[in-house]
Amino acid sequence: MKSAAVAGASGYAGGELLRLLLTHPGFEIGALTAASSAGTTLGAHQPHLPQLAGRVIQETTAEALAGHEVVFLALPHGHSAAVAAQLGPETVVVDCGADHRLADPAAWQEFYGGEHAGTWPYGLPELPGQRAALKDATRIAVPGCYPTSVTLALFPAFAAGLAGTDVTVVAASGTSGAGKSLKPNLLGSEVMGSVSAYGVGGVHRHTPEMEQNLSAVAGERVTVSFTPTLVPMSRGILATCTAPAAPGVTRRSLREAYEAALKDEPFLRLLPEGQWPATAMTYGANTAALQVTLDERVGKIVAVIAIDNLTKGTAGGAIQSVNLALGLPEELGLPMTGVAP
Amino acid sequence: MKSAAVAGASGYAGGELLRLLLTHPGFEIGALTAASSAGTTLGAHQPHLPQLAGRVIQETTAEALAGHEVVFLALPHGHSAAVAAQLGPETVVVDCGADHRLADPAAWQEFYGGEHAGTWPYGLPELPGQRAALKDATRIAVPGCYPTSVTLALFPAFAAGLAGTDVTVVAASGTSGAGKSLKPNLLGSEVMGSVSAYGVGGVHRHTPEMEQNLSAVAGERVTVSFTPTLVPMSRGILATCTAPAAPGVTRRSLREAYEAALKDEPFLRLLPEGQWPATAMTYGANTAALQVTLDERVGKIVAVIAIDNLTKGTAGGAIQSVNLALGLPEELGLPMTGVAP
Amino acid sequence: MKSAAVAGASGYAGGELLRLLLTHPGFEIGALTAASSAGTTLGAHQPHLPQLAGRVIQETTAEALAGHEVVFLALPHGHSAAVAAQLGPETVVVDCGADHRLADPAAWQEFYGGEHAGTWPYGLPELPGQRAALKDATRIAVPGCYPTSVTLALFPAFAAGLAGTDVTVVAASGTSGAGKSLKPNLLGSEVMGSVSAYGVGGVHRHTPEMEQNLSAVAGERVTVSFTPTLVPMSRGILATCTAPAAPGVTRRSLREAYEAALKDEPFLRLLPEGQWPATAMTYGANTAALQVTLDERVGKIVAVIAIDNLTKGTAGGAIQSVNLALGLPEELGLPMTGVAP
Amino acid sequence: MKSAAVAGASGYAGGELLRLLLTHPGFEIGALTAASSAGTTLGAHQPHLPQLAGRVIQETTAEALAGHEVVFLALPHGHSAAVAAQLGPETVVVDCGADHRLADPAAWQEFYGGEHAGTWPYGLPELPGQRAALKDATRIAVPGCYPTSVTLALFPAFAAGLAGTDVTVVAASGTSGAGKSLKPNLLGSEVMGSVSAYGVGGVHRHTPEMEQNLSAVAGERVTVSFTPTLVPMSRGILATCTAPAAPGVTRRSLREAYEAALKDEPFLRLLPEGQWPATAMTYGANTAALQVTLDERVGKIVAVIAIDNLTKGTAGGAIQSVNLALGLPEELGLPMTGVAP
């Protein structure tokens, strides 16, 4: 049993980490820390986790987090590097925030601003070659939820050389992706019964991360036009990814490429032909449901993927990578079934 | 006061027609007809319309519909032509279904199958030149809800020569767009908390209608990659429309083109820069909320539009066209405000 | 045309007042005021009201509100009396807050605390005798949304002497009833997919107002056990009201009492037997949908009512009372149809 | 490992049974059967269960179900007895339907009609004395979802003699409680944004079951006025239960009675004082979240409970009882955490 601390325990990512850690056979839950919630009990913030209801949240400090074998940081961006610097290499530090995802300091500067904190091993095991990079890692940068979805939807096409580099993505996200932020546009009254667009026109911070991942797979520069939308549900991302089909691609060759790329992936599920993803298929699960087709009329590959932004898109993906880093079975403790209807 | 009959009165489009006609100063509501609901009262199907609750629904026949100055047909596709053939040219017949939208019989054959019923004046007044075509019309083909949204979002760009012909659209629709169909995937338990894709890969029937409209504006063949998604709300469409920017387009020239195209449009509203559409802005209204930007990184125009699929997307758009056909003020009786939050 | 100012224009009640005033033939919209939103445009807060999008919100002061024939106050409780004191009797002042609803200072003290601001004519025209009280009124206390629903559901039974005084009410409300408050429990992520109870055990502030109304009708002290719940929708209240049946009551005598009490009420609609209220029937409308039955097994009257908390429950009810105060037709400018589905 | 068959595998209760059985260490999943879905794969109906996606559904027959150690019947009422009669006493048969819940044939006749199938051990372990009754049982009648919630909310009060026998319950249920029925009122377009009442006035079939349970605990006849409502969510029940307080009851004595009754219950959780249940606390979990208070003004006990209707209310409760019947640990394989937000 490894001890695991969670910083940001009162937020949505923190809550999901704890939900999964509670049933993971390899971890015992250590310190729970937060900022403004310090001093309150977890039950006030995460009442769906009765086992931890009475646990008191501590302030997020290196002292509180020290002494655990794994420390999960679910903090606003910009806060992880300072904390991590105080935790030695004997501790696996997992950054669920953005600070250590981007390799290109210029991209960091353009989209986030401020100093680049450096790059950590990227916690997306399904990315070709990435399992080796995560083995024995002591620092892990958990991917953004949107980049997780888009990368998983398109890497088989790029790995097989079937897609052109001019990608268009429109993704629908549940509101938990925005965190437990007290903003008027996130109030239930505003989001129920309404779909809205935001971060349009190439300004969403997850854009360079998608391009980084797909370019690495393609071996050439891939660009992404990315439009996120907010939909009336708590959890889930459905990403529709459209790319030009390379010359000669057929529906059959496309499907075969996806089948080959996904056949040994424990968490990625190519649906039977004719069935299209719905986020309910992956609610609370560490899985992704995918489907792909060729629109022959216009020469486009259309790949659609559903994930749970909090599970596979954040906390589940983080634990999957930690499993690899610690030498545990990759699937250990991670839910394979969705909760539906 | 013109008398108006509604065929398909127990369905969602029929109900929305009646909701709007009840407060329209130019119409009195005549026969209400339907198929399987014939013989029941309207209150059993449209309990939000108390003024008509006791009205008995008749069977949809030419006899029941005859004698009205306007007949609205909100029927499944394939049923309108036969009914319309029995109604003389003194009656304005408005087909809310698909039968008379497409000019190209081959497109009809490919996407709908069966015999092409012919083409009626297309009820989208905002399409350049279309107001003249609707004046004194006695047959009107109401556009599909998705084509309404996409055409309105992109016609200013194509009219100004700013967009390339390779369009990608991903649209989110509320469930009422699928009608009152008893299908498992439309049950509340299935749609709440879930977003799903359907009709992916160039097979949705609204695709050729979008292409027809945009090609007419562009003066050249425009193709559309169209992916519809179903989101957990009853009403509303949010369409994200991405097109290559023509050489030399700037954010400023793009905005100016939209401002010029929309400034005299009573129902189309270009939002202030920085504000993006949400379907709640148009809930129950005959308006569209638009925003457009240029993604300079990737050279794409991204236009986003929100409409209410039942109002501007069906029943409101139908009445707007009938107002024109009858020589009434175009805006007469049509709601300008949404119901929010 | 009377000029109307709205204080609290950026909130939900303020937005609904403006939505209704925009189509009311008797009013022109004057000053829009608010507290923290002063200086911004209304379009940033109420983007569903395009006609007013460019209007600048002023600070709520007596100067800004003076000179209008009607002033609607949609302010947090405790703020109305001071503003009203500066507006002369030539101005009709309508308090959508709680300050002037309760006649009993002790009840005010117990449930709200602080000094009692006094009692204004109570804006529920359907309460027996209340239309006369509202004629020529220059101060109007708009009822709470829950008391509106419960009073309308039960007054026919109490007026006819059919119900015992020991009432139990459980009501479900959409989140807009809590206002545009930035509280974690009102975030979309928290409310979607969840129903919760709050204010349980006789502590909700609307309780004494229900008792005041029902006691007045009954002519004796009526007590209410009231439990409110929050449900995943933006608008609407469904109140289930249970009371002991007086000896000798039958289903027939109960229905006849309701039919008699409601037959001339323009906004109250007793549904046909067997049909039960749903809030969608009244979405955006100033109507109430009611049904009542006798549970003979246990000797209870069960009355269920649906209203829109923002329309009949707040802004529509306010305008209905103002219509009476100004000598306008009671129904003028108020929507009779819901927006559904 | 015991083999378990599920009849009704394509429905909501069947799907939930399979979701739980998949992670239960004591069971392997055998035959999956259904009626109209026979011959299709499970993945078409339960796409959230990837491990079983390719399994073919058989027709529900005694042959298909024979040879398993446990058979779960998730069938419409009236179908269980005939199937069970063909399964010998070596098979544990678990009826998730209503057929074997009521002990009183007259109550069966009044609320369901037709012949009474007899009474099986009632699968609510928390009911005083019921664990002994379930030990070694080979036939189990799973309680209805509403009776589960109401019984668990009130048994501590009745067991301690604190509550009067005149109970009023209003409960809100998600739509999955109605099953995967193709009825217009269960369409997403109808249920989203709306709350409705149904089965009002003492006619809901779960009423006599509540009375049976509470009367057994109280040792005298308890009557229930029960009003169910349908709310816009897929899962969850929130029941508000109001009963007269016995003379002398105080908030303290009430809380102590609940603490005593619940302190050793693994799945029942009395929330800290001041925190009230929300269904999200129990989403997908086999737990119940309870709170109780005394409304001293009116002399009423108000107990509120949240459960997941499909988990604790059906499939989880069923497995909990089977665990007892088979001599397994009661909590084995049952989720303790909810999925939230």
Side-chain angles (χ1 to χ4, degrees), chain A residues 297-314:
Chain A
R297 292 177 62 259
V298 300
K300 304 274 189 188
I301 292 168
V302 187
V304 180
I305 189 168
I307 64 167
D308 185 317
N309 59 301
L310 289 178
T311 322
K312 180 59 180 161
T314 305

Side-chain angles (χ1 to χ4, degrees), chain A residues 48-278:
Chain A
H48 59 300
L49 305 176
Q51 305 98 316
L52 301 171
R55 292 279 298 271
V56 176
I57 300 172
Q58 302 174 251
E59 189 134 6
T60 299
T61 61
E63 292 68 43
L65 299 173
H68 298 85
E69 284 154 295
V70 182
V71 172
F72 292 94
L73 303 177
L75 303 172
H77 83 83
H79 288 65
S80 301
V83 175
Q86 299 179 263
L87 298 168
E90 74 287 357
T91 304
V92 177
V93 183
V94 186
D95 186 1
C96 296
D99 294 12
H100 303 91
R101 293 172 188 160
L102 293 183
D104 178 3
W108 175 269
Q109 182 62 40
E110 178 183 354
F111 282 88
Y112 291 89
E115 199 182 351
H116 186 219
T119 311
W120 288 357
Y122 190 71
L124 191 62
E126 294 87 353
L127 202 60
Q130 203 60 21
R131 285 190 172 92
L134 289 165
K135 190 169 179 317
D136 300 326
T138 62
R139 295 293 183 269
I140 298 171
V142 179
C145 51
Y146 286 124
T148 294
S149 68
V150 172
T151 307
L152 297 179
L154 286 179
F155 85 86
F158 281 107
L162 304 183
T165 59
D166 174 21
V167 172
T168 298
V169 174
V170 179
S173 175
T175 51
S176 65
K180 206 185 274 192
S181 318
L182 296 179
K183 296 178 182 163
N185 68 312
L186 296 177
L187 287 173
S189 299
E190 308 283 328
V191 296
M192 289 186 286
S194 190
V195 174
S196 57
Y198 70 100
V200 188
V203 301
H204 193 283
R205 287 168 163 171
H206 285 179
T207 309
E209 189 181 344
M210 297 174 193
E211 294 182 342
Q212 170 177 294
N213 295 351
L214 297 178
S215 298
V217 179
E220 60 182 322
R221 171 103 182 117
V222 174
T223 61
V224 178
S225 162
F226 174 53
T227 305
T229 65
L230 198 65
V231 295
M233 61 188 192
S234 294
R235 289 175 171 242
I237 286 177
L238 188 91
T240 301
C241 309
T242 309
V249 174
T250 63
R251 288 200 179 183
R252 181 178 199 86
S253 66
L254 183 64
R255 181 145 192 107
E256 286 172 354
Y258 272 72
E259 286 173 344
L262 304 178
K263 71 175 183 331
D264 294 327
E265 286 298 339
F267 295 113
L268 309 187
R269 178 170 170 234
L270 184 64
L271 295 173
E273 289 185 74
Q275 190 175 33
W276 286 88

